[in-house]
Amino acid sequence: MKKNGRKYRKLVREREQKLEKIEQSIIIEREVDGIKTSYLSMAHILSSNPIVYENTNTKRTYLERLASYLKIGGWNKRKYESSMMEAYKKIITGNEEVRVDNGIDYYKNLIVFDLAHFLGYELKELNEKLKNVEKQYLLDFDSSEEDISFSRIINSVTSIRKLRNVQKLLGRDDEKEYAELICKNLSFKKKQPFGIMVTATMSAGKSTFINSLTGKYICLSQNMACTSKIHSIINKPFEDGFSYEYDHDLVMTAGKEELFNDNALNTSDRIYVSTHFQGGLADGRYIIHDSPGVNYSGDHEHKEIADRLIKAKKYNMLIYVMNSTQLATNDEDEHLDFVKQRIGRTPVLFVMNKVDSYDVEEEDIFATMHRQTEYLKKKGFKNPTICPVSARAGYLAKQFVLRKLTRSEERELYNFVDKFEQMGLPRYYGEKFPQIHVEDNEQEEIQLLKNCGLAYIENIIKEYTEGGK
Ligand SMILES: Nc1nc2c(ncn2[C@@H]2O[C@H](COP(=O)(O)OP(=O)(O)OP(=O)(O)O)[C@@H](O)[C@H]2O)c(=O)[nH]1
Ligand SMILES: [Mg+2]
């Protein structure tokens, strides 16, 4: 084969892509305390199971049978499965609205799907145990000639093709929908995870920025040093209405209480949270790490935690958030040096947050970004491009889409709408990132997602995920 010939170049390119894939797959932690992180990126499927609307007796029987299958298989003592059982109990018994009275036999297929879901759709090594479960299942449920067998259903979740075949055989819409949700979980699980580390000096708005990317108030943000552990936020394939949190205990129906209070029993510096990301990043298997703000004169522990994570390099991309109300401070200077020394070839995206604080009449956004770019070049970063954003405005615009704004947030949002109509950020992005296109929207509140820079940043991240530069 000729060197530099087309075939040779293709081969080299293919080999590089393969290596890159392997590299990526070892970057992200596969397990945390025996729980696979891929399990944490599966959404609850229960919302499509009418068991939630059953009478108390049927609900109780359903839960008892599920629990007995876990016990027979010996999975009830494992953290993930037992937490899932707790969540099922809470979701099923927590709903008091009775809408259906189908009787327990109605659920004979759905319960098998649920068991498969509990086991993370990974069943290869479980055959012997499953045979014992099947024996009990056959005693529990009436069977007939037309039934799809227990083993056919449970094995179907090992591949999308098998699952699609079983889905065709299912008689009812709710069963087909259940299989559809599992399909979504399965195809999501097959995607390569993409890790993003977010770092900055104190109070630059890292947590607010991550909340704007996820569209959820997941990371505590306030006007004082507040993030003290590394929060890894994992995307789920679709909205199931729940967040999971792993902070010593795994809670799969986490509310504010769990999310905003650190568990004293957790002696590690990590907390994992899973939720569905609303907006531009909804489809990717992202893990975003929120780290404590680095303050060189203040809390050394925070700095150590953040430094360790940057050094460990378990991410595919680093986002460095700068605070446009506090540029070129000593802390920034030192932190940039640290990042520069450690980052190697990992791509860095610079985000200039809080641009809503600019006076549009007095300040020229192009000139400010240019000055900051020159500063980053002096610090040794090659071709740095800065993405201006107002994370606060982006977060509020997403809350508007989700109809979750309070009155005072609404007022804040309309202030931002006016301000960003004048600021002209799309012109800046059009010039610096000509390959990135963001559609306009007639509704001013949704247009704010574009005008405040957030929609551009989401698209830029997506480009990186897909291998673009
Ligand atoms: N005006 C404005 N304020 C913002 C923006 N983003 C964050 N803030 C405010 O800045 C303060 C700090 O925000 P956080 O998101 O907690 O910052 P952080 O970098 O996570 O802080 P630490 O974790 O403590 O280092 C809060 O009062 C936020 O409301 C923004 O885009 N515009
Ligand atoms: Mg924070």
Side-chain angles (χ1 to χ4, degrees):
M1 196 185 303
K2 252 201 299 181
K3 276 204 170 178
N4 279 338
R6 258 177 58 197
K7 259 194 179 160
Y8 180 79
R9 285 206 306 270
K10 190 169 164 230
L11 218 70
V12 171
R13 203 167 52 240
E14 277 172 5
R15 195 179 313 141
E16 274 172 4
Q17 279 170 352
K18 212 165 155 189
L19 277 175
E20 224 168 74
K21 259 198 167 162
I22 295 171
E23 236 170 61
Q24 280 194 359
S25 64
I26 50 176
I27 281 175
I28 310 288
E29 278 118 323
R30 296 262 144 195
E31 251 185 46
V32 41
D33 296 346
I35 302 169
K36 293 191 181 176
T37 48
S38 64
Y39 288 12
L40 299 180
S41 58
M42 301 292 90
H44 280 312
I45 52 177
L46 253 184
S47 57
S48 297
N49 190 336
I51 191 68
V52 184
Y53 300 106
E54 271 292 346
N55 62 51
T56 321
N57 272 341
T58 311
K59 280 180 176 176
R60 195 184 322 118
T61 314
Y62 193 88
L63 287 168
E64 278 169 6
R65 289 187 185 178
L66 252 182
S68 76
Y69 303 153
L70 289 180
K71 197 163 177 208
I72 293 168
W75 306 301
N76 56 329
K77 293 203 181 73
R78 298 205 304 215
K79 227 173 200 167
Y80 178 78
E81 285 83 344
S82 57
S83 308
M84 186 69 95
M85 196 65 222
E86 282 308 306
Y88 265 54
K89 278 185 197 156
K90 197 168 166 189
I91 297 170
I92 293 175
T93 56
N95 182 36
E96 285 170 5
E97 187 192 348
V98 180
R99 277 198 218 157
V100 290
D101 183 14
N102 297 315
I104 191 70
D105 279 326
Y106 183 90
Y107 297 95
K108 77 169 135 192
N109 292 337
L110 293 176
I111 203 169
V112 185
F113 279 130
D114 269 334
L115 180 63
H117 178 70
F118 273 55
L119 301 176
Y121 314 121
E122 288 181 14
L123 307 160
K124 283 183 204 94
E125 75 278 23
L126 305 175
N127 278 338
E128 236 356 90
K129 292 173 179 174
L130 280 175
K131 275 187 197 140
N132 293 333
V133 175
E134 185 176 23
K135 275 185 207 147
Q136 183 58 44
Y137 170 85
L138 290 172
L139 294 174
D140 285 344
F141 287 96
D142 287 340
S143 54
S144 80
E145 289 275 298
E146 304 95 68
D147 281 351
I148 312 171
S149 70
F150 173 91
S151 56
R152 175 125 199 226
I153 298 182
I154 201 118
N155 280 320
S156 72
V157 301
T158 53
S159 92
I160 289 172
R161 188 182 49 79
K162 284 188 204 162
L163 187 57
R164 288 277 179 229
N165 286 337
V166 165
Q167 193 182 25
K168 280 185 211 142
L169 301 175
L170 292 165
R172 296 197 319 256
D173 283 350
D174 54 14
E175 292 176 332
K176 284 183 195 291
E177 172 63 17
Y178 227 43
E180 192 60 42
L181 294 184
I182 293 178
C183 233
K184 283 189 185 159
N185 270 339
L186 265 184
S187 22
F188 197 69
K189 197 161 170 252
K190 284 195 185 335
K191 291 184 186 178
Q192 280 293 334
F194 190 86
I196 301 173
M197 163 82 184
V198 179
T199 189
T201 57
M202 231 174 70
S203 297
K206 294 173 295 299
S207 300
T208 310
F209 175 65
I210 292 174
N211 289 338
S212 76
L213 290 177
T214 61
K216 305 272 178 78
Y217 192 67
I218 288 283
C219 299
L220 197 60
S221 104
Q222 57 197 37
N223 209 356
M224 52 188 275
C226 55
T227 307
S228 57
K229 293 198 171 198
I230 296 156
H231 286 70
S232 297
I233 322 289
I234 301 174
N235 189 21
K236 298 202 277 186
F238 53 89
E239 189 52 76
D240 60 4
F242 293 94
S243 298
Y244 311 156
E245 191 201 40
Y246 181 59
D247 179 7
H248 187 267
D249 302 318
L250 175 61
V251 180
M252 304 189 83
T253 50
K256 283 203 172 90
E257 172 69 22
E258 288 90 2
L259 292 172
F260 301 136
N261 295 306
D262 292 354
N263 187 340
L265 297 173
N266 183 358
T267 50
S268 83
D269 52 22
R270 292 298 281 269
I271 293 173
Y272 288 81
V273 175
S274 322
T275 195
H276 176 58
F277 294 5
Q278 293 287 347
L281 301 186
D283 297 332
R285 218 181 122 194
Y286 294 102
I287 303 184
I288 306 182
H289 308 288
D290 186 12
S291 57
V294 177
N295 176 340
Y296 283 80
S297 51
D299 196 324
H300 287 288
E301 197 194 343
H302 285 190
K303 180 172 149 37
E304 274 165 30
I305 294 171
D307 285 1
R308 202 151 14 95
L309 195 70
I310 292 172
K311 272 195 244 170
K313 285 223 195 139
K314 287 190 181 289
Y315 48 88
N316 305 81
M317 173 189 210
L318 183 131
I319 296 186
Y320 192 108
V321 180
M322 296 178 293
N323 181 350
S324 51
T325 65
Q326 274 181 2
L327 289 175
T329 58
N330 287 341
D331 278 347
E332 190 90 281
D333 224 56
E334 283 194 45
H335 194 47
L336 278 169
D337 283 341
F338 180 81
V339 169
K340 180 72 195 73
Q341 277 165 22
R342 304 287 167 176
I343 197 68
R345 289 170 59 189
T346 308
V348 185
L349 192 70
F350 291 98
V351 165
M352 174 81 84
N353 190 30
K354 308 194 194 183
V355 291
D356 53 272
S357 55
Y358 284 152
D359 181 342
V360 272
E361 283 170 10
E362 298 281 319
E363 277 170 284
D364 174 2
I365 194 108
F366 278 83
T368 316
M369 296 304 139
H370 180 71
R371 258 200 321 276
Q372 194 65 8
T373 309
E374 291 306 307
Y375 166 64
L376 292 173
K377 278 187 191 158
K378 270 198 206 124
K379 302 296 298 174
F381 292 94
K382 273 194 191 140
N383 305 322
T385 319
I386 302 175
C387 302
V389 75
S390 166
R392 179 69 187 158
Y395 171 75
L396 291 175
K398 282 198 181 170
Q399 295 309 296
F400 171 84
V401 176
L402 300 169
R403 299 171 191 279
K404 282 192 175 159
L405 286 180
T406 62
R407 285 296 285 277
S408 75
E409 286 175 336
E410 220 171 82
R411 279 195 292 274
E412 215 185 327
L413 173 94
Y414 288 108
N415 255 331
F416 285 136
V417 166
D418 287 343
K419 188 148 204 181
F420 281 101
E421 270 171 11
Q422 294 174 52
M423 200 175 285
L425 288 189
R427 206 157 48 82
Y428 172 86
Y429 278 100
E431 202 169 284
K432 300 287 175 191
F433 299 90
Q435 76 281 23
I436 302 286
H437 294 286
V438 177
E439 295 283 317
D440 281 315
N441 196 294
E442 279 177 8
Q443 227 178 318
E444 59 183 9
E445 300 89 343
I446 300 177
Q447 179 69 12
L448 178 60
L449 283 172
K450 174 174 179 171
N451 288 351
C452 79
L454 182 66
Y456 285 98
I457 295 179
E458 287 178 333
N459 279 350
I460 291 166
I461 294 173
K462 265 171 29 189
E463 271 249 322
Y464 270 109
T465 319
E466 286 148 20
K469 292 279 162 204

